[in-house]
Amino acid sequence: MTDRTEATGRLLRRLRSDAGVAPASRDVEPPELAVWRQMRDDPFLAECFTVTDDPPVVHSYLADGHPGVARFLADILWLGETYDRLPIGYWSAGADTFAGAPVIYVDDEASVELVGTSLVDFLGPWVGELGAGELLDFCRRAGLRPPMSTAERDAALADHPDPQQVFDFFLHSVG
């Protein structure tokens, strides 16, 4: 059994119990969020990402009124949206706060995916080789670490629950 499978199983058992898992406290945010907010108008970042704590598409996800969707999305501290207007945020993954939370990508097909330990990890593969120098320059200017390699990112995320399985749980059991 993998670490991700074990972590997912533990979280789903907690969610199925009477105690459940309360949405994370917004009081403790990942430290890098302040950097993203400060750098929101940087030309590199503005070209590929919009920093916002209220991505408009999230309102359309909530508009269907499904309580499971609302409950899952309550565990995300929004960071912004991609160039194609899809939201990215920090997912508490059952933790009490967002400190150390992984970054999650929510697409318009009802699928969710862990994409890194920071937005930089998501942007790394996305900008590819053509924008790698610009991303590294942005990281230097913003005081952020450079993106992890795919293997490093996968290893860093291995101990986190699978967000798709948790989302599916909420979709089928809350309502």
Side-chain angles (χ1 to χ4, degrees):
M1 193 178 320
T2 67
D3 292 338
R4 168 133 327 137
T5 301
E6 292 171 11
T8 303
R10 281 191 304 274
L11 179 54
L12 290 175
R13 282 189 297 280
R14 285 179 54 206
L15 291 169
R16 287 183 185 111
S17 74
D18 291 334
V21 176
S25 167
R26 304 288 200 248
D27 294 338
V28 182
E29 298 179 343
E32 73 166 8
L33 185 55
V35 175
W36 293 115
R37 288 175 177 152
Q38 179 183 4
M39 299 295 289
R40 79 174 61 235
D41 295 324
D42 182 272
F44 170 77
L45 187 59
E47 186 176 310
C48 58
F49 192 78
T50 301
V51 176
T52 177
D53 60 1
D54 190 25
V57 73
V58 173
H59 297 282
S60 67
Y61 295 164
L62 294 170
D64 75 0
H66 192 290
V69 172
R71 177 58 184 87
F72 181 82
L73 295 179
D75 287 334
I76 300 173
L77 177 63
W78 298 111
L79 173 56
E81 58 186 14
T82 64
Y83 69 96
D84 55 353
R85 305 281 183 224
L86 295 175
I88 291 185
Y90 301 99
W91 180 48
S92 70
D96 294 335
T97 72
F98 289 99
V103 176
I104 189 171
Y105 173 74
V106 182
D107 77 9
D108 56 357
E109 303 280 325
S111 61
V112 293
E113 175 185 1
L114 290 181
V115 294
T117 59
S118 75
L119 179 60
V120 171
D121 292 337
F122 171 73
L123 293 175
W126 182 76
V127 298
E129 290 180 24
L130 295 176
E134 292 175 337
L135 176 58
L136 292 175
D137 181 54
F138 172 79
C139 289
R140 277 191 296 278
R141 285 184 281 115
L144 297 169
R145 67 161 175 74
M148 295 179 173
S149 70
T150 301
E152 291 170 324
R153 185 188 70 215
D154 291 347
L157 296 175
D159 291 331
H160 293 283
D162 181 334
Q164 187 65 56
Q165 289 183 22
V166 176
F167 179 74
D168 291 343
F169 167 80
F170 281 124
L171 218 73
H172 296 90
S173 66
V174 176

